[in-house]
Amino acid sequence: MKQQTNGGSFSNVDIAGNNRYSGGTLSSPTLVINSAQFSDEGNYRCHGVNAAGDANSIVTNLDVTGNVPTVTLTTTLFPVLVGNDITIGCNVISNPGATNVYWRFENSGSQITTISPNSNTAKYGGSTTTSPSLVIKNVDFSDAGKYTCYATNSIGTGNSQEGTLQVSGQPPNVVVTLPNYSVDFGQQVTLGCTVTANPAHTSVYWTKNKNGIVTNINVANSGGKYSGSTVGSPSLTITNSNLDDQASYICNAQNSVGLGSSSSTVLTVSGSKFCNV
C-alpha cells in the first residue's frame, strides 16, 4: 500500500478508486501514476504488512514539472507585397507537449477572427502543433492587421506577442513618352510607353480612341500591323501607317492590385497614298 503526504501527514492512496493509479498490489507493488498532475506532488512511501507486522519504505519525493506553452513570434513586423504569400513565424516550447495551436487576427476595424488548421485551407496553412507558423497565401490588403499565436497543452494556453502584417503595393504607374506623335503615310511609328509596377505588372494593352469610338488593340491578331504592347516591351509599334491610325492612344498595364493607365497620346498621319489611273 502507498501513502502520500497530505498537509504534513501521510494518507493512503486510493488506488482502486482512481483510474489514474495502478499497481500497489502484492504481485505488483510499484505505484504507477498516469497523467501526472501538480496535485500529485509530494512525498511517497511504500507500506507493507505481513503476519509479523508492518513496515514502511524510505520516503521518495515526486516533483511534477510543467507549465503553459511559451509562445513567441520570430519578429513583430511582417511586410509583404499584395498578391504574394507570407509566413508569420511562431515558435512553441511546451512541457507537457502542445495539443492545439491557433491564431487570432485583428483587422484595422478591430474585428477579431480565429484562424485554426481547418480555417479556409485555400487561404491559410500551418497553425499546427508540428508547424505553428501561419502561412497566408495570395495576401490581400484585407489581411493587414495584428496576429497573435496561441498554443494549448494540458495545463493551459499560452500566447505570443502581437505581430503586425503590413501589406503594400499599388496599380502600375504608366507613362507615355510624348503627348503627340506624327508619322508620314505608309511609314512606321512607335508610341513610347514605360511601366513602373510594384508588384510587377502581368499584362499590357493599348486602347485606341477614334472619333469617340474606343477599341482595344489586339496585337496578336493584327497580321503584323502592330507589335510590342507586352510586359517586356510595352511601347506600341504601328507599321504602314494610314489615316485610320490617326487617333488618340492610351497605354494600360495590370498587376495584382489593379489597372494603371497613361494619359492619352495623339498620333497624326501626314500625307496620303495616290494611285495613277
Side-chain angles (χ1 to χ4, degrees), residues 133-170:
S133 298
L134 179 66
V135 178
I136 305 176
K137 307 168 188 175
N138 190 25
V139 172
D140 188 75
F141 286 110
S142 62
D143 296 315
K146 299 176 181 178
Y147 289 79
T148 306
C149 183
Y150 290 78
T152 301
N153 64 10
S154 58
I155 298 175
T157 299
N159 62 272
S160 70
Q161 72 275 47
E162 287 183 340
T164 301
L165 178 64
Q166 291 182 341
V167 183
S168 61
Q170 58 185 3

Side-chain angles (χ1 to χ4, degrees), residues 14 60 71 89 130 196 239:
D14 185 6
T60 184
V71 188
T130 56
T196 305
T239 60

